[in-house]
Amino acid sequence: MKTKIAVTEPSPEAERFREAMSRIAATVHVVTTDGPAGRHGATATSVVSLTDQPPTLVVCLNLSSRSHRIASQNGIVAVNALSADQEDIARAFSRSSGGAGDDRFAHGEWAPLITGAPTLAHALAVFDGRIVSEIVVGTHAAMVVQLEAVRFAKGPTDGLSYHRRRYRPYSGAAG
């Protein structure tokens, strides 16, 4: 089910909003998909937990992106939370392919879990699920993803965040 919310013209406050949001650290993810529409992935920071019963995430992707179109058509995604040493993967998946095939999956080791979406072998955490609804607001779609599989790193592992327009490690160690 898709829901659309009316869009207005960009406000003069948009730049101030983006600048304010840059001051808030966000976990870096690579959102991947595979299926009839093809295999693709993109770096994303706009991923949040919605509920644990059933386990569900909200994943936001730009409507104009190839990643959104392919993921929406395939109906599945894997959300791969990156560890601090995976900045090269974040960068590979953040660049535009211009609609052409590219080598982004040459970075890291990839294999499917349940849905068939590629998952990163050494990710901090992996969430594999099906898109059950989508809400369109402005330039982005908020995809509600019901999870079928979850995997995470053992022990304290530093994660990768994006803060003030730079990748930065954050500590997963307790204390």
Side-chain angles (χ1 to χ4, degrees):
M1 166 197 352
K2 289 188 181 181
T3 304
K4 285 197 173 197
I5 295 176
V7 180
T8 58
E9 290 297 312
S11 74
E13 290 295 309
E15 181 59 35
R16 288 181 56 76
F17 174 75
R18 284 191 298 274
E19 184 60 32
M21 290 303 296
S22 79
R23 294 170 183 333
I24 300 169
T27 301
V28 178
H29 307 86
V30 169
V31 178
T32 59
T33 189
D34 200 356
R39 182 181 189 195
H40 198 64
T43 301
T45 55
S46 191
V47 174
V48 296
S49 165
L50 181 60
T51 182
D52 65 354
Q53 293 192 21
T56 306
L57 297 176
V58 175
V59 177
C60 300
L61 294 175
N62 192 305
L63 288 168
S64 67
S65 72
R66 184 171 182 227
S67 300
H68 170 262
R69 180 180 52 81
I70 293 172
S72 188
Q73 289 175 4
N74 286 339
I76 63 167
V77 294
V79 177
N80 301 273
L82 300 184
S83 60
D85 62 350
Q86 294 174 321
E87 183 177 334
D88 62 322
I89 295 170
R91 290 187 183 285
F93 280 83
S94 68
R95 65 182 172 7
S96 172
S97 66
D102 61 27
D103 67 346
R104 60 186 75 202
F105 285 100
H107 302 267
E109 297 172 39
W110 299 90
L113 286 180
I114 304 291
T115 68
T119 65
L120 185 58
H122 303 289
L124 185 66
V126 173
F127 306 91
D128 184 28
R130 298 192 182 281
I131 301 167
V132 295
S133 68
E134 204 172 291
I135 300 167
V136 174
V137 179
T139 58
H140 283 67
M143 299 183 300
V144 178
V145 180
Q146 191 167 335
L147 302 178
E148 295 192 9
V150 175
R151 184 182 72 219
F152 50 89
K154 303 223 181 335
T157 301
D158 287 350
L160 185 64
S161 68
Y162 195 70
H163 180 238
R164 291 192 177 258
R165 298 181 173 88
R166 289 183 44 208
Y167 292 109
R168 302 170 189 268
Y170 68 86
S171 179

